Amino acid sequence: MNAVQKPENTDELMQRCYAIAGLTIKEIAANIDKVPEKLIHHKGWFGQLIETVLGADAGSNPTQDFSELGIELKTIPLNDELYPLETTFVCITPLTNVSGMTYENSNVRNKLSRVLWVPFSGSRDIPIPERIVYTPFLWSPNSAQDAALRTDWNEHMEKIATGQIDSITARDGEVLQIRPKAADGKALTQAVGADGTLVMTRPRGFYLRKCFTSEIIRQEYKF
DNA sequence: CGGTGATCATCG
DNA sequence: CGATGATCACCG
């Protein structure tokens, strides 16, 4: 299989999803050219494989994976009880020029407005090629979920706007937390300082807690 | 560097 | 032993 064209519409995208449901990662990868064997144990590799198979745009632009369809793609590893093994990265946390931002126009809300979840068995005792993709599904936040995200986002951004970024830890936020997000500890970016000037700090990202994503999974799979 | 895709390693 | 804080590979 060569480069997959991006899907024309949501139906086409979902048909591709149903075609890989129940397959192992090895079986899915077999349909794609140029899968470096050495990368098969690598973080994030599976997410990029799924992007390729489904025809998402490549690159690192901070937009939705299927921008024409308004859909963001997220893979998520689940244990045997279908509980998430990892938190879910949403997007980079803005640390400057935050005064005019609202939750309504935030990158968090835009990305999470419509998500194509691709769960897969992620237990570490299963070799990665043998792990199985569960049935993907489309999701949008219900009013309670949206409100929970809004509350956390507002609290986080209030601190950032008032120069308290370095007082935020991953313990803050009921469902949306902020954690470092960088290649290593040497990466620095600008942030609003205590006196309103710019200071350097570690880049941060928004992450969804497992309790939040597990509810999404439970809703969809009805257990 | 700063985004994308995330998981890893350590510690409480 | 799970969550936090750190880190990995790749791209433009």
Side-chain angles (χ1 to χ4, degrees), chain A residues 105-131:
Chain A
N105 62 29
S106 69
N107 208 355
V108 168
R109 194 181 201 213
N110 176 251
K111 285 225 172 190
L112 296 183
S113 61
R114 208 152 183 245
V115 177
L116 174 59
W117 293 100
V118 183
F120 65 101
S121 60
S123 300
R124 293 185 182 168
D125 53 347
I126 304 176
I128 291 181
E130 307 299 330
R131 295 182 190 178

PDB file of all heavy atoms in Angstrom, chain A residues 105-131:
ATOM      1  N   ASN A 105     -12.556  29.572  22.415  1.00  0.00           N
ATOM      2  CA  ASN A 105     -11.705  29.635  21.233  1.00  0.00           C
ATOM      3  C   ASN A 105     -10.353  28.969  21.454  1.00  0.00           C
ATOM      4  O   ASN A 105      -9.421  29.177  20.684  1.00  0.00           O
ATOM      5  CB  ASN A 105     -11.518  31.085  20.777  1.00  0.00           C
ATOM      6  CG  ASN A 105     -10.815  31.939  21.831  1.00  0.00           C
ATOM      7  OD1 ASN A 105     -10.016  31.444  22.619  1.00  0.00           O
ATOM      8  ND2 ASN A 105     -11.101  33.223  21.838  1.00  0.00           N
ATOM      9  N   SER A 106     -10.263  28.150  22.502  1.00  0.00           N
ATOM     10  CA  SER A 106      -8.982  27.537  22.834  1.00  0.00           C
ATOM     11  C   SER A 106      -8.680  26.343  21.940  1.00  0.00           C
ATOM     12  O   SER A 106      -9.581  25.717  21.370  1.00  0.00           O
ATOM     13  CB  SER A 106      -8.981  27.077  24.292  1.00  0.00           C
ATOM     14  OG  SER A 106      -9.861  25.985  24.469  1.00  0.00           O
ATOM     15  N   ASN A 107      -7.405  26.041  21.855  1.00  0.00           N
ATOM     16  CA  ASN A 107      -6.973  24.877  21.099  1.00  0.00           C
ATOM     17  C   ASN A 107      -7.473  23.578  21.731  1.00  0.00           C
ATOM     18  O   ASN A 107      -7.768  22.602  21.047  1.00  0.00           O
ATOM     19  CB  ASN A 107      -5.442  24.864  21.005  1.00  0.00           C
ATOM     20  CG  ASN A 107      -4.954  24.161  19.763  1.00  0.00           C
ATOM     21  OD1 ASN A 107      -5.737  23.594  19.009  1.00  0.00           O
ATOM     22  ND2 ASN A 107      -3.652  24.173  19.557  1.00  0.00           N
ATOM     23  N   VAL A 108      -7.575  23.585  23.061  1.00  0.00           N
ATOM     24  CA  VAL A 108      -8.083  22.402  23.757  1.00  0.00           C
ATOM     25  C   VAL A 108      -9.491  22.074  23.288  1.00  0.00           C
ATOM     26  O   VAL A 108      -9.801  20.939  22.898  1.00  0.00           O
ATOM     27  CB  VAL A 108      -8.084  22.619  25.283  1.00  0.00           C
ATOM     28  CG1 VAL A 108      -8.870  21.513  25.988  1.00  0.00           C
ATOM     29  CG2 VAL A 108      -6.657  22.655  25.806  1.00  0.00           C
ATOM     30  N   ARG A 109     -10.342  23.091  23.300  1.00  0.00           N
ATOM     31  CA  ARG A 109     -11.726  22.811  22.938  1.00  0.00           C
ATOM     32  C   ARG A 109     -11.850  22.449  21.469  1.00  0.00           C
ATOM     33  O   ARG A 109     -12.633  21.584  21.085  1.00  0.00           O
ATOM     34  CB  ARG A 109     -12.624  24.005  23.240  1.00  0.00           C
ATOM     35  CG  ARG A 109     -14.075  23.583  23.191  1.00  0.00           C
ATOM     36  CD  ARG A 109     -15.007  24.728  23.468  1.00  0.00           C
ATOM     37  NE  ARG A 109     -16.305  24.228  23.891  1.00  0.00           N
ATOM     38  CZ  ARG A 109     -17.435  24.865  23.592  1.00  0.00           C
ATOM     39  NH1 ARG A 109     -17.414  25.966  22.891  1.00  0.00           N
ATOM     40  NH2 ARG A 109     -18.570  24.372  24.009  1.00  0.00           N
ATOM     41  N   ASN A 110     -11.063  23.135  20.630  1.00  0.00           N
ATOM     42  CA  ASN A 110     -11.112  22.822  19.202  1.00  0.00           C
ATOM     43  C   ASN A 110     -10.701  21.386  18.942  1.00  0.00           C
ATOM     44  O   ASN A 110     -11.367  20.648  18.210  1.00  0.00           O
ATOM     45  CB  ASN A 110     -10.202  23.778  18.437  1.00  0.00           C
ATOM     46  CG  ASN A 110     -10.135  23.446  16.969  1.00  0.00           C
ATOM     47  OD1 ASN A 110      -9.116  22.963  16.473  1.00  0.00           O
ATOM     48  ND2 ASN A 110     -11.220  23.660  16.258  1.00  0.00           N
ATOM     49  N   LYS A 111      -9.614  20.963  19.554  1.00  0.00           N
ATOM     50  CA  LYS A 111      -9.129  19.597  19.324  1.00  0.00           C
ATOM     51  C   LYS A 111     -10.099  18.556  19.857  1.00  0.00           C
ATOM     52  O   LYS A 111     -10.272  17.494  19.265  1.00  0.00           O
ATOM     53  CB  LYS A 111      -7.773  19.413  19.990  1.00  0.00           C
ATOM     54  CG  LYS A 111      -6.657  20.094  19.240  1.00  0.00           C
ATOM     55  CD  LYS A 111      -5.468  19.172  19.123  1.00  0.00           C
ATOM     56  CE  LYS A 111      -4.425  19.781  18.202  1.00  0.00           C
ATOM     57  NZ  LYS A 111      -3.371  18.819  17.878  1.00  0.00           N
ATOM     58  N   LEU A 112     -10.703  18.831  20.997  1.00  0.00           N
ATOM     59  CA  LEU A 112     -11.554  17.825  21.627  1.00  0.00           C
ATOM     60  C   LEU A 112     -13.006  17.908  21.170  1.00  0.00           C
ATOM     61  O   LEU A 112     -13.834  17.120  21.624  1.00  0.00           O
ATOM     62  CB  LEU A 112     -11.486  17.963  23.154  1.00  0.00           C
ATOM     63  CG  LEU A 112     -10.107  17.702  23.766  1.00  0.00           C
ATOM     64  CD1 LEU A 112     -10.171  17.802  25.274  1.00  0.00           C
ATOM     65  CD2 LEU A 112      -9.578  16.337  23.345  1.00  0.00           C
ATOM     66  N   SER A 113     -13.324  18.845  20.292  1.00  0.00           N
ATOM     67  CA  SER A 113     -14.722  18.989  19.884  1.00  0.00           C
ATOM     68  C   SER A 113     -15.219  17.740  19.156  1.00  0.00           C
ATOM     69  O   SER A 113     -16.394  17.394  19.235  1.00  0.00           O
ATOM     70  CB  SER A 113     -14.892  20.213  18.986  1.00  0.00           C
ATOM     71  OG  SER A 113     -14.113  20.084  17.809  1.00  0.00           O
ATOM     72  N   ARG A 114     -14.317  17.060  18.464  1.00  0.00           N
ATOM     73  CA  ARG A 114     -14.702  15.826  17.767  1.00  0.00           C
ATOM     74  C   ARG A 114     -13.464  14.953  17.659  1.00  0.00           C
ATOM     75  O   ARG A 114     -12.521  15.307  16.950  1.00  0.00           O
ATOM     76  CB  ARG A 114     -15.266  16.141  16.382  1.00  0.00           C
ATOM     77  CG  ARG A 114     -16.257  15.130  15.876  1.00  0.00           C
ATOM     78  CD  ARG A 114     -17.260  15.759  14.923  1.00  0.00           C
ATOM     79  NE  ARG A 114     -18.252  14.786  14.502  1.00  0.00           N
ATOM     80  CZ  ARG A 114     -18.386  14.371  13.242  1.00  0.00           C
ATOM     81  NH1 ARG A 114     -17.602  14.859  12.308  1.00  0.00           N
ATOM     82  NH2 ARG A 114     -19.301  13.480  12.928  1.00  0.00           N
ATOM     83  N   VAL A 115     -13.468  13.843  18.362  1.00  0.00           N
ATOM     84  CA  VAL A 115     -12.287  12.982  18.427  1.00  0.00           C
ATOM     85  C   VAL A 115     -12.636  11.593  17.903  1.00  0.00           C
ATOM     86  O   VAL A 115     -13.661  11.019  18.258  1.00  0.00           O
ATOM     87  CB  VAL A 115     -11.746  12.862  19.867  1.00  0.00           C
ATOM     88  CG1 VAL A 115     -10.561  11.892  19.917  1.00  0.00           C
ATOM     89  CG2 VAL A 115     -11.331  14.226  20.395  1.00  0.00           C
ATOM     90  N   LEU A 116     -11.765  11.087  17.040  1.00  0.00           N
ATOM     91  CA  LEU A 116     -11.853   9.691  16.620  1.00  0.00           C
ATOM     92  C   LEU A 116     -10.916   8.891  17.506  1.00  0.00           C
ATOM     93  O   LEU A 116      -9.697   8.939  17.356  1.00  0.00           O
ATOM     94  CB  LEU A 116     -11.450   9.546  15.143  1.00  0.00           C
ATOM     95  CG  LEU A 116     -11.349   8.125  14.605  1.00  0.00           C
ATOM     96  CD1 LEU A 116     -12.678   7.392  14.733  1.00  0.00           C
ATOM     97  CD2 LEU A 116     -10.881   8.124  13.153  1.00  0.00           C
ATOM     98  N   TRP A 117     -11.495   8.187  18.475  1.00  0.00           N
ATOM     99  CA  TRP A 117     -10.693   7.384  19.399  1.00  0.00           C
ATOM    100  C   TRP A 117     -10.377   6.032  18.761  1.00  0.00           C
ATOM    101  O   TRP A 117     -11.279   5.369  18.229  1.00  0.00           O
ATOM    102  CB  TRP A 117     -11.429   7.165  20.714  1.00  0.00           C
ATOM    103  CG  TRP A 117     -11.615   8.416  21.517  1.00  0.00           C
ATOM    104  CD1 TRP A 117     -12.732   9.184  21.604  1.00  0.00           C
ATOM    105  CD2 TRP A 117     -10.643   9.050  22.358  1.00  0.00           C
ATOM    106  NE1 TRP A 117     -12.521  10.262  22.429  1.00  0.00           N
ATOM    107  CE2 TRP A 117     -11.244  10.197  22.914  1.00  0.00           C
ATOM    108  CE3 TRP A 117      -9.313   8.758  22.699  1.00  0.00           C
ATOM    109  CZ2 TRP A 117     -10.561  11.051  23.785  1.00  0.00           C
ATOM    110  CZ3 TRP A 117      -8.649   9.607  23.566  1.00  0.00           C
ATOM    111  CH2 TRP A 117      -9.270  10.740  24.103  1.00  0.00           C
ATOM    112  N   VAL A 118      -9.111   5.651  18.830  1.00  0.00           N
ATOM    113  CA  VAL A 118      -8.691   4.328  18.350  1.00  0.00           C
ATOM    114  C   VAL A 118      -8.042   3.594  19.518  1.00  0.00           C
ATOM    115  O   VAL A 118      -6.832   3.680  19.723  1.00  0.00           O
ATOM    116  CB  VAL A 118      -7.714   4.430  17.163  1.00  0.00           C
ATOM    117  CG1 VAL A 118      -7.348   3.040  16.649  1.00  0.00           C
ATOM    118  CG2 VAL A 118      -8.317   5.273  16.046  1.00  0.00           C
ATOM    119  N   PRO A 119      -8.856   2.881  20.315  1.00  0.00           N
ATOM    120  CA  PRO A 119      -8.300   2.152  21.461  1.00  0.00           C
ATOM    121  C   PRO A 119      -7.606   0.874  20.984  1.00  0.00           C
ATOM    122  O   PRO A 119      -7.972   0.291  19.969  1.00  0.00           O
ATOM    123  CB  PRO A 119      -9.536   1.806  22.302  1.00  0.00           C
ATOM    124  CG  PRO A 119     -10.684   2.555  21.677  1.00  0.00           C
ATOM    125  CD  PRO A 119     -10.319   2.761  20.244  1.00  0.00           C
ATOM    126  N   PHE A 120      -6.613   0.455  21.738  1.00  0.00           N
ATOM    127  CA  PHE A 120      -5.941  -0.806  21.421  1.00  0.00           C
ATOM    128  C   PHE A 120      -5.434  -1.432  22.711  1.00  0.00           C
ATOM    129  O   PHE A 120      -5.231  -0.750  23.716  1.00  0.00           O
ATOM    130  CB  PHE A 120      -4.792  -0.598  20.425  1.00  0.00           C
ATOM    131  CG  PHE A 120      -3.662   0.241  20.940  1.00  0.00           C
ATOM    132  CD1 PHE A 120      -2.491  -0.354  21.396  1.00  0.00           C
ATOM    133  CD2 PHE A 120      -3.759   1.625  20.959  1.00  0.00           C
ATOM    134  CE1 PHE A 120      -1.423   0.425  21.872  1.00  0.00           C
ATOM    135  CE2 PHE A 120      -2.705   2.403  21.434  1.00  0.00           C
ATOM    136  CZ  PHE A 120      -1.552   1.803  21.887  1.00  0.00           C
ATOM    137  N   SER A 121      -5.249  -2.749  22.686  1.00  0.00           N
ATOM    138  CA  SER A 121      -4.745  -3.447  23.867  1.00  0.00           C
ATOM    139  C   SER A 121      -3.302  -3.049  24.079  1.00  0.00           C
ATOM    140  O   SER A 121      -2.476  -3.165  23.178  1.00  0.00           O
ATOM    141  CB  SER A 121      -4.871  -4.961  23.685  1.00  0.00           C
ATOM    142  OG  SER A 121      -4.130  -5.385  22.566  1.00  0.00           O
ATOM    143  N   GLY A 122      -3.006  -2.568  25.256  1.00  0.00           N
ATOM    144  CA  GLY A 122      -1.696  -1.984  25.466  1.00  0.00           C
ATOM    145  C   GLY A 122      -0.903  -2.603  26.591  1.00  0.00           C
ATOM    146  O   GLY A 122       0.132  -2.074  26.957  1.00  0.00           O
ATOM    147  N   SER A 123      -1.382  -3.698  27.151  1.00  0.00           N
ATOM    148  CA  SER A 123      -0.656  -4.313  28.262  1.00  0.00           C
ATOM    149  C   SER A 123       0.783  -4.591  27.868  1.00  0.00           C
ATOM    150  O   SER A 123       1.055  -5.083  26.777  1.00  0.00           O
ATOM    151  CB  SER A 123      -1.340  -5.618  28.673  1.00  0.00           C
ATOM    152  OG  SER A 123      -2.664  -5.349  29.077  1.00  0.00           O
ATOM    153  N   ARG A 124       1.696  -4.283  28.776  1.00  0.00           N
ATOM    154  CA  ARG A 124       3.106  -4.330  28.395  1.00  0.00           C
ATOM    155  C   ARG A 124       3.616  -5.749  28.253  1.00  0.00           C
ATOM    156  O   ARG A 124       4.719  -5.955  27.734  1.00  0.00           O
ATOM    157  CB  ARG A 124       3.938  -3.568  29.421  1.00  0.00           C
ATOM    158  CG  ARG A 124       3.617  -2.082  29.370  1.00  0.00           C
ATOM    159  CD  ARG A 124       4.490  -1.242  30.261  1.00  0.00           C
ATOM    160  NE  ARG A 124       4.061   0.162  30.182  1.00  0.00           N
ATOM    161  CZ  ARG A 124       4.469   1.090  31.013  1.00  0.00           C
ATOM    162  NH1 ARG A 124       5.296   0.794  31.969  1.00  0.00           N
ATOM    163  NH2 ARG A 124       4.035   2.332  30.884  1.00  0.00           N
ATOM    164  N   ASP A 125       2.852  -6.724  28.727  1.00  0.00           N
ATOM    165  CA  ASP A 125       3.313  -8.097  28.549  1.00  0.00           C
ATOM    166  C   ASP A 125       2.907  -8.647  27.179  1.00  0.00           C
ATOM    167  O   ASP A 125       3.236  -9.783  26.847  1.00  0.00           O
ATOM    168  CB  ASP A 125       2.783  -9.004  29.670  1.00  0.00           C
ATOM    169  CG  ASP A 125       1.275  -8.888  29.815  1.00  0.00           C
ATOM    170  OD1 ASP A 125       0.692  -7.952  29.228  1.00  0.00           O
ATOM    171  OD2 ASP A 125       0.695  -9.724  30.524  1.00  0.00           O
ATOM    172  N   ILE A 126       2.193  -7.853  26.402  1.00  0.00           N
ATOM    173  CA  ILE A 126       1.874  -8.262  25.040  1.00  0.00           C
ATOM    174  C   ILE A 126       2.874  -7.598  24.096  1.00  0.00           C
ATOM    175  O   ILE A 126       3.011  -6.386  24.111  1.00  0.00           O
ATOM    176  CB  ILE A 126       0.442  -7.829  24.648  1.00  0.00           C
ATOM    177  CG1 ILE A 126      -0.571  -8.373  25.652  1.00  0.00           C
ATOM    178  CG2 ILE A 126       0.112  -8.289  23.240  1.00  0.00           C
ATOM    179  CD1 ILE A 126      -1.992  -7.905  25.382  1.00  0.00           C
ATOM    180  N   PRO A 127       3.572  -8.375  23.280  1.00  0.00           N
ATOM    181  CA  PRO A 127       4.493  -7.748  22.323  1.00  0.00           C
ATOM    182  C   PRO A 127       3.727  -6.784  21.425  1.00  0.00           C
ATOM    183  O   PRO A 127       2.607  -7.083  20.996  1.00  0.00           O
ATOM    184  CB  PRO A 127       5.025  -8.945  21.514  1.00  0.00           C
ATOM    185  CG  PRO A 127       4.813 -10.124  22.404  1.00  0.00           C
ATOM    186  CD  PRO A 127       3.573  -9.831  23.207  1.00  0.00           C
ATOM    187  N   ILE A 128       4.313  -5.643  21.152  1.00  0.00           N
ATOM    188  CA  ILE A 128       3.609  -4.594  20.434  1.00  0.00           C
ATOM    189  C   ILE A 128       2.996  -5.080  19.119  1.00  0.00           C
ATOM    190  O   ILE A 128       1.831  -4.775  18.837  1.00  0.00           O
ATOM    191  CB  ILE A 128       4.543  -3.391  20.203  1.00  0.00           C
ATOM    192  CG1 ILE A 128       4.835  -2.724  21.551  1.00  0.00           C
ATOM    193  CG2 ILE A 128       3.925  -2.395  19.233  1.00  0.00           C
ATOM    194  CD1 ILE A 128       5.738  -1.512  21.458  1.00  0.00           C
ATOM    195  N   PRO A 129       3.697  -5.865  18.318  1.00  0.00           N
ATOM    196  CA  PRO A 129       3.087  -6.298  17.047  1.00  0.00           C
ATOM    197  C   PRO A 129       1.838  -7.136  17.235  1.00  0.00           C
ATOM    198  O   PRO A 129       1.009  -7.230  16.332  1.00  0.00           O
ATOM    199  CB  PRO A 129       4.206  -7.105  16.375  1.00  0.00           C
ATOM    200  CG  PRO A 129       5.462  -6.618  16.999  1.00  0.00           C
ATOM    201  CD  PRO A 129       5.097  -6.306  18.418  1.00  0.00           C
ATOM    202  N   GLU A 130       1.695  -7.758  18.411  1.00  0.00           N
ATOM    203  CA  GLU A 130       0.551  -8.645  18.639  1.00  0.00           C
ATOM    204  C   GLU A 130      -0.650  -7.917  19.228  1.00  0.00           C
ATOM    205  O   GLU A 130      -1.716  -8.503  19.398  1.00  0.00           O
ATOM    206  CB  GLU A 130       0.954  -9.786  19.586  1.00  0.00           C
ATOM    207  CG  GLU A 130       2.189 -10.559  19.154  1.00  0.00           C
ATOM    208  CD  GLU A 130       2.002 -11.235  17.813  1.00  0.00           C
ATOM    209  OE1 GLU A 130       0.863 -11.596  17.477  1.00  0.00           O
ATOM    210  OE2 GLU A 130       3.015 -11.378  17.093  1.00  0.00           O
ATOM    211  N   ARG A 131      -0.479  -6.655  19.588  1.00  0.00           N
ATOM    212  CA  ARG A 131      -1.580  -5.938  20.223  1.00  0.00           C
ATOM    213  C   ARG A 131      -2.694  -5.670  19.220  1.00  0.00           C
ATOM    214  O   ARG A 131      -2.458  -5.487  18.029  1.00  0.00           O
ATOM    215  CB  ARG A 131      -1.065  -4.625  20.826  1.00  0.00           C
ATOM    216  CG  ARG A 131      -0.084  -4.902  21.947  1.00  0.00           C
ATOM    217  CD  ARG A 131       0.399  -3.624  22.590  1.00  0.00           C
ATOM    218  NE  ARG A 131       1.508  -3.927  23.500  1.00  0.00           N
ATOM    219  CZ  ARG A 131       2.174  -3.007  24.183  1.00  0.00           C
ATOM    220  NH1 ARG A 131       1.858  -1.741  24.055  1.00  0.00           N
ATOM    221  NH2 ARG A 131       3.157  -3.368  24.990  1.00  0.00           N
TER     222      ARG A 131
END
